[in-house]
Amino acid sequence: MARQRSTPAAVADRRRPRKTRIHTRRLRTVRTFSPKDSDITRQWHVIDASDVVLGRLASQVAVLLRGKHKPVFAPHVDTGDFVIVVNAAKVSLSGSKLEQKRAYRHSGYPGGLHAVSYASLMESHPERVVEKAVKGMLPKNALGRKTLRKLKVYAGPDHPHQAQQPQPFQITQIEQ
């Protein structure tokens, strides 16, 4: 039995004519919400840091600064509030971090690494302890640097921002 060869013309005749289709696909991705300047309302919060664990304080402050607690939050826009932290000298560190943890900074020159224990840093500049902890929880870009400017930290109970009418913000702690 010999097989018949088909010519290209015969093959073309056997094919069905194709229907032209327009592919329409539903958009399944969520569009990024971009708030306008008129959507953003900034508030002032004052937080008392007395006997609050440093990490819990810093994470709550970072959320307020970025605006993640608002329904208009967008990761690429600064929608956050201003935060005033008072009594930074009374913040607590859990465990033995006060003696063992060190704050590092570098001058930019070879051999320019400086390390200071948190105990001596709390004695001399308690504001820097809170600022450093909050800075570590913000994005490392221009938006993070802009966001950090809205943080005001004071070692004592007084602050010069009474004209902004800050609302007290209570950090709920779980006893451990």
Side-chain angles (χ1 to χ4, degrees):
M1 296 201 175
R3 204 195 286 169
Q4 292 182 357
R5 285 192 167 164
S6 52
T7 61
V11 172
D13 290 339
R14 281 186 273 159
R15 279 193 259 154
R16 294 183 183 147
R18 288 192 162 198
K19 294 180 182 177
T20 56
R21 277 193 207 172
I22 299 173
H23 291 286
T24 57
R25 194 167 35 137
R26 285 188 189 167
L27 188 65
R28 293 194 175 136
T29 59
V30 177
R31 298 240 177 202
T32 303
F33 173 69
S34 194
K36 301 176 189 66
D37 287 338
S38 60
D39 296 338
I40 301 169
T41 56
R42 301 206 191 280
Q43 295 177 339
W44 285 73
H45 302 282
V46 62
I47 298 175
D48 187 12
S50 299
D51 299 325
V52 179
V53 178
L54 178 64
R56 295 175 195 272
L57 171 74
S59 63
Q60 195 66 46
V61 169
V63 166
L64 290 171
L65 285 173
R66 285 201 70 197
K68 289 186 122 183
H69 62 290
K70 296 183 178 183
V72 295
F73 171 73
H76 63 288
V77 180
D78 184 15
T79 59
D81 295 338
F82 288 86
V83 177
I84 303 164
V85 178
V86 293
N87 291 325
K90 296 179 183 175
V91 74
S92 67
L93 277 80
S94 60
S96 58
K97 291 186 186 122
L98 195 61
E99 296 84 25
Q100 293 179 354
K101 189 174 171 82
R102 297 185 162 277
Y104 296 97
R105 58 191 171 87
H106 200 283
S107 66
Y109 290 98
L113 183 66
H114 297 278
V116 180
S117 70
Y118 266 69
S120 63
L121 193 63
M122 285 290 287
E123 289 175 9
S124 58
H125 303 287
E127 308 91 18
R128 290 187 193 167
V129 173
V130 176
E131 289 170 1
K132 186 174 174 58
V134 173
K135 183 180 179 182
M137 296 186 182
L138 291 175
K140 278 64 172 175
N141 54 22
L143 186 63
R145 290 187 294 274
K146 181 183 175 187
T147 304
L148 193 62
R149 286 187 215 125
K150 295 184 299 185
L151 174 65
K152 317 294 182 192
V153 183
Y154 299 100
D158 301 325
H159 62 86
H161 304 286
Q162 293 298 332
Q164 283 73 28
Q165 299 169 351
Q167 301 299 318
F169 187 85
Q170 189 67 33
I171 294 179
T172 55
Q173 292 191 88
I174 301 169
E175 292 298 323
Q176 297 187 10

